[in-house]
Amino acid sequence: MKKIKNGLINFSGSIPLLIGCDLARLDEFTLSLLTNDEVIDVNQDPLGVHGAPILKTVRDLWRQKDVAETDDKHTVTVNPHGAVMLRIY
């Protein structure tokens, strides 16, 4: 089921990862992005229940490493046409 709240789209339940390209021609970098377990695990609770995050560690999911520890906030600069995906736990 799709829910829209505050301009964000939330899909409840399991959603397959759809890829619109020739899988046989993926380069190593693209394959690593598509198979990054930490990114795939975001919002994939088997019961569809969202957890309450505890602000402690900030992890960069693209680089697969912890980048900061905080109890308040974390600021990131994103380059034009860039992307950042963080997990706070």
Side-chain angles (χ1 to χ4, degrees):
M1 167 175 273
K2 180 171 69 169
K3 297 178 184 177
I4 300 176
K5 181 177 181 181
N6 297 331
L8 300 174
I9 299 176
N10 175 30
F11 292 92
S12 299
S14 297
I15 303 295
L17 178 62
L18 301 176
I19 304 165
C21 65
D22 183 354
L23 297 178
R25 301 184 79 182
L26 291 178
D27 60 33
E28 186 175 328
F29 176 75
T30 304
L31 182 61
S32 72
L33 289 178
L34 295 174
T35 58
N36 183 331
D37 290 336
E38 290 182 274
V39 173
I40 294 170
D41 284 343
V42 173
N43 280 337
Q44 295 301 312
D45 185 281
L47 299 176
V49 177
H50 297 283
I54 299 172
L55 300 179
K56 184 177 178 183
T57 302
V58 179
R59 183 165 182 86
D60 185 321
L61 299 183
W62 295 130
R63 294 189 291 168
Q64 295 182 303
K65 70 178 200 175
D66 295 338
V67 293
E69 288 194 16
T70 182
D71 61 356
D72 184 28
K73 62 183 177 179
H74 180 70
T75 303
V76 177
T77 301
V78 181
N79 294 323
H81 304 287
V84 175
M85 189 168 191
L86 303 172
R87 171 174 277 169
I88 300 171
Y89 61 99

